[in-house]
Amino acid sequence: MTKGEVVSDHVTKGYRDRLDEGRRAMAHLIHVWHERNGWSHKVLPALAEALDLGRVHNSQISNLRNGKLASPGPEVFLALGQANAILDAGLDPIQEHLSEVHPDLLKVLKVSAVPVISANGKPLGAGQLLEIFVGLAPLPPGFDWRIDPMEAAALSAALADCLCRGQSWRQCRDQLMSAYPVGKTQRRERFAAVMAGLRDYSAEELDGEFLDLHATYLSLDGQNGATPAAFLDELRRRLPFTATLSDQPE
């Protein structure tokens, strides 16, 4: 963004609108982060407490996720930023400590501990999270696919058609379940149900699943979606309508 664009943005957008957009963006980020890992709202507060990273309560995470936490203190962002950096570094440095002070938390993190990464491949820190919350920074890549609730069911069907390649679920089940890189039982069962046509992903579930769904596609030698964004475009081309809401003129 250029200096002129920044000035124009400040002129055309009031601070209340900016804060409202920031709260909604942070809610989306927290939701997708948890969805991607299959976490409850207790995981990050437990990690922050176990490693003395700052104070963040279960209710604060829940309210952040619902866009209802209007003015969190600096310790919330400090705790989330430090927890994110630790997750990015991997579990080896903290495994022995967590096995002593919180073995149940360690079990959860061993299943999935994906951090929030910026466009330059670095974990988002406290300052970057604060900038998102107050509407001064966009969501990082991979956390804002702009999937509309009205297209989620059709995208689910297109996804099953794409991954199954015209085969029945019975014919391709073993191959797809081997390619799907997620270990958490609940997510694997949900993936299987979507592939079998027994249910659809919601827009929020697709947001949280999409990187793993793209990895599944690549594992099956997918050719038309080398990046997650390209894969989403490929799925949208398979939809029974030619334009999604994000394509409509404002």
Side-chain angles (χ1 to χ4, degrees):
M1 183 177 287
T2 67
K3 182 177 179 180
E5 288 173 329
V6 171
V7 172
S8 175
D9 190 41
H10 279 285
V11 170
T12 59
K13 186 180 296 181
Y15 81 92
R16 290 185 180 87
D17 291 337
R18 188 182 302 281
L19 288 173
D20 182 59
E21 289 180 6
R23 278 196 297 271
R24 285 189 278 114
M26 178 59 72
H28 187 74
L29 183 146
I30 295 294
H31 181 93
V32 174
W33 193 10
H34 281 69
E35 184 72 30
R36 193 162 291 167
N37 285 292
W39 290 340
S40 77
H41 64 281
K42 298 179 181 180
V43 171
L44 289 172
L47 181 61
E49 181 179 3
L51 301 180
D52 195 25
L53 304 178
R55 293 191 300 175
V56 57
H57 303 296
N58 298 342
S59 60
Q60 289 175 312
I61 294 295
S62 180
N63 285 330
L64 273 177
R65 186 169 175 167
N66 293 320
K68 295 180 179 179
L69 191 60
S71 46
E75 281 196 3
V76 170
F77 297 104
L78 178 62
L80 293 179
Q82 291 195 108
N84 193 41
I86 283 170
L87 295 176
D88 182 67
L91 296 182
D92 286 349
I94 62 173
Q95 181 163 316
E96 183 176 353
H97 178 71
L98 287 184
S99 67
E100 295 176 0
V101 302
H102 208 320
D104 289 339
L105 174 62
L106 180 60
K107 289 179 183 177
V108 170
L109 295 178
K110 280 186 172 181
V111 173
S112 186
V114 178
V116 183
I117 303 299
S118 67
N120 64 9
K122 306 269 188 191
L124 261 62
Q128 292 164 299
L129 292 169
L130 176 59
E131 286 187 334
I132 291 172
F133 181 79
V134 297
L136 292 176
L139 288 166
F143 278 81
D144 191 8
W145 302 113
R146 300 189 183 278
I147 296 172
D148 190 272
M150 292 182 65
E151 65 175 341
L155 280 175
S156 298
L159 180 70
D161 179 65
C162 178
L163 297 183
C164 291
R165 305 180 187 184
Q167 296 178 299
S168 70
W169 170 238
R170 181 174 296 178
Q171 291 174 305
C172 66
R173 176 177 54 199
D174 292 343
Q175 184 183 20
L176 258 63
M177 295 311 295
S178 295
Y180 183 60
V182 176
K184 192 174 181 63
T185 301
Q186 182 179 3
R187 287 180 62 189
R188 291 184 67 81
E189 290 175 347
R190 184 173 65 189
F191 172 74
V194 173
M195 293 300 99
L198 300 178
R199 61 156 291 177
D200 297 317
Y201 282 122
S202 68
E204 291 179 333
E205 288 168 346
L206 277 170
D207 260 325
E209 286 276 359
F210 206 76
L211 290 181
D212 291 315
L213 295 172
H214 177 245
T216 304
Y217 174 76
L218 293 181
S219 181
L220 296 169
D221 298 322
Q223 300 296 319
N224 297 323
T227 67
F231 181 45
L232 182 55
D233 287 342
E234 169 67 16
L235 292 178
R236 281 179 168 145
R237 282 193 289 270
R238 293 170 175 260
L239 301 188
F241 43 87
T242 57
T244 65
L245 292 184
S246 60
D247 298 320
Q248 300 298 325
E250 295 182 359

